[in-house]
Structure formats: structure tokens, C-alpha cells
Amino acid sequence: MSIDILLETIDVTRRFGGLVANRDVSIRVHRGEILGLIGPNGAGKSTLFNLIAGAYLPTSGSIRFDGRDITELPATRRCALGIARTYQVPRSFDSMTVLENVMVGGFVRHASSKAARLAALQVLDFTGLSRTAGTLTGELTPPEKRRLEVARALATEPKLLLLDEVLTGLTPSEAQLGVELIRRVRDAGITVVMVEHVMQIVMPLVDRAIVLNLGTVLASGSPADVVRDPAVISAYLGTRHAA
């Protein structure tokens, strides 16, 4: 693996009984980039996210991260190595405060509550959630809960951050704040892979895009090249986009 490559999946296949969710998926993620993973519903994006994060193990193929084979490692070990993720449906601890939720992520790197709290406070400041630190998570608005997902993941001090539709369902102004946060994350030295359906937002944001369709890689390249690819237009964007 090249030193520039942080993550690589090699011919990864995942079967659920007779259903093949991913078939021979080979992708590379470069250090310091924002990579967009796009495609129609049922394309296999969420399955690939789960394979990278360790929620699923591949039926065949291998996954390498930061120079080592992680194919068989559980999610907890991958998190310790530097892979963090958010969820499409936020998974917060609603009876705990925002600060306590982010501290959960902080305990990945810090053994003491004092150190985890300090790290969590720094992340809350970075993500613009400081004013909600003492608020019960169940009282947050949906956009705040999405941002909290990012904050908790960042508290694990990742090298790679997997963002699962963190901009979906936001107003234009909320989405713009989300874009600015993702750029700050990348500028802090964290590589980002994001699944997103809002094309008008994601394409100007990402450095590269990979399109999945029916569990396989349909196209890969710069956003401008991908949206002009006839196969992508046919499978995902539609003829209206071509016009």
C-alpha cells in the first residue's frame, strides 16, 4: 500500500444469504481527502460503510487501513486504530448530557474522566456545540443531534471519519454550516469518507467521488467527471440531469 493510501478495500464482497450487497468492491482512500460515496438506494453504500467500520466482516476480499490488514478486526479495534463513524439515524444516549455523550468517544483515548472531559470540551468547541454541553441529548434539535454524532466520533481522535448522510434533511443554512464543519475536519488532518444524497451539496465539497450501483463500483473520479459519465447518468442521476 502506498504511503498516500490510508484505506483500501480489495475485491470486497458481502453476501446476506442469496443477496450480494457488495461484489468485488475495490476502492482507495487517500490521506487528507474528502471522498464522496454516492449512488441510488440499494447500491451497497451502507454495507460498504459497515464493512469498513467493522460492523460486518466481508464474505471475501480484504481491507487494509494505515498499512495493516484489518479484515478480521472487530469494530472496537478499528476504532482504536483510528476509524470513526456516524450513523444515518443518530444513536445518542438521550438521558445523558451532550458533554457526557462526547466523553463516551473520549474514553477511547483517555483512561480518566478528567482527561476525557477535557477532550470532549475541546471537541464541543470545535463543532460549535459548547453552549449545549449541559443539555440533555433528548432535548436537542435533529440538526444538533447530527452534529453531536460528528462530535462524538471526533472525540475518538480518528484518522478516518465515516459520515453517513450527516447533511440529509437539513435546511440550506444548516447544510452550509455542516459543509464548513466537514472542511474544518479535513483541515485538521482527518480524512473523510461521506455517504450523501444531496448532490448539490456533496459534489462541490468532495475531492473525489465513487459511485456504487447494484453493489459494484460504477465510476470513480473527480466530481465533474463523474456527473458527466453516461453510466452514472443512466443509473443514478437520470436523463433530466444530462439535459
Side-chain angles (χ1 to χ4, degrees):
M1 179 185 287
S2 165
I3 194 171
D4 179 54
I5 304 300
L6 179 62
L7 174 78
E8 184 175 18
T9 70
I10 305 165
D11 297 328
V12 164
T13 294
R14 172 68 193 197
R15 293 185 176 89
F16 298 95
L19 173 66
V20 182
N22 288 140
R23 185 189 300 276
D24 297 329
V25 174
S26 296
I27 69 169
R28 287 182 167 185
V29 181
H30 302 277
R31 296 180 192 273
E33 74 174 340
I34 302 175
L35 176 69
L37 192 62
I38 63 175
N41 289 332
K45 304 183 298 297
S46 293
T47 299
L48 184 57
F49 249 42
N50 283 322
L51 288 168
I52 294 170
Y56 303 150
L57 297 182
T59 305
S60 62
S62 61
I63 303 172
R64 296 188 61 82
F65 176 72
D66 204 18
R68 65 177 291 176
D69 190 317
I70 63 167
T71 309
E72 300 295 328
L73 293 184
T76 52
R77 291 282 305 280
R78 298 188 197 199
C79 184
L81 288 175
I83 298 177
R85 68 169 299 177
T86 67
Y87 292 88
Q88 186 176 341
V89 178
R91 298 186 179 185
S92 53
F93 302 101
D94 287 353
S95 63
M96 296 164 56
T97 66
V98 169
L99 175 59
E100 289 167 341
N101 267 265
V102 180
M103 284 177 64
V104 170
F107 282 121
V108 171
R109 304 292 171 199
H110 305 283
S112 72
S113 295
K114 181 178 180 180
R117 185 177 187 277
L118 178 59
L121 287 170
Q122 292 172 338
V123 171
L124 288 176
D125 183 59
F126 180 84
T127 56
L129 286 171
S130 291
R131 64 180 180 80
T132 67
T135 303
L136 288 178
T137 304
E139 299 174 7
L140 296 182
T141 65
E144 288 172 333
K145 280 197 172 186
R146 288 192 182 276
R147 188 163 287 236
L148 174 59
E149 283 273 304
V150 178
R152 190 174 56 204
L154 289 175
T156 69
E157 299 177 19
K159 299 174 183 176
L160 174 67
L161 178 61
L162 305 173
L163 299 177
D164 195 351
E165 296 192 26
V166 294
L167 303 178
T168 299
L170 303 182
T171 66
S173 60
E174 291 165 348
Q176 185 55 43
L177 290 174
V179 166
E180 292 169 2
L181 175 58
I182 293 168
R183 286 185 173 134
R184 288 205 309 275
V185 169
R186 189 265 309 277
D187 292 344
I190 300 169
T191 304
V192 176
V193 178
M194 58 187 300
V195 168
E196 195 55 66
H197 285 292
V198 188
M199 297 292 289
Q200 298 94 326
I201 296 175
V202 72
M203 291 316 235
L205 173 61
V206 302
D207 301 302
R208 284 193 307 128
I210 292 176
V211 185
L212 292 183
N213 187 47
L214 301 177
T216 65
V217 176
L218 181 64
S220 175
S222 71
D225 289 340
V226 163
V227 297
R228 289 196 296 262
D229 188 308
V232 175
I233 293 171
S234 175
Y236 180 42
L237 300 178
T239 53
R240 193 168 146 194
H241 169 84

